[in-house]
Amino acid sequence: MSEDVSRAEGRDLNESKADPPKGPASVHEQTREKGERAREEREKIERETTREQQERNHKDGLEAPPGD
């Protein structure tokens, strides 16, 4: 009976691992991609902030319009 239990437990462990374990390269790749997304988001926010500030300055007469 103990053999049946151990085989069943072993089978359950194998069946629950549908995806192969991720190695160090996969973890590194995920970390790099996460860093790139964060950098892109920061750059996007910075561009939007700069654009909004330029619009406010132009409306307030603090900045010359382009071409002047």
Side-chain angles (χ1 to χ4, degrees):
M1 184 166 183
S2 63
E3 290 179 23
D4 292 336
V5 172
S6 63
R7 277 187 279 163
E9 288 174 355
R11 187 172 62 244
D12 290 338
L13 290 175
N14 291 334
E15 290 174 0
S16 66
K17 294 182 181 180
D19 295 328
K22 296 184 179 192
S26 296
V27 173
H28 175 72
E29 183 71 15
Q30 290 174 353
T31 302
R32 184 184 62 76
E33 290 174 358
K34 185 177 179 181
E36 285 181 5
R37 285 192 302 271
R39 178 184 51 79
E40 290 170 357
E41 185 65 24
R42 285 191 304 269
E43 290 175 353
K44 177 182 172 186
I45 292 170
E46 185 177 334
R47 284 192 303 270
E48 290 174 359
T49 303
T50 301
R51 181 184 52 79
E52 290 170 358
Q53 183 64 49
Q54 288 173 345
E55 288 176 1
R56 282 193 299 270
N57 289 347
H58 181 69
K59 287 179 184 176
D60 294 340
L62 301 175
E63 185 178 293
D68 280 357

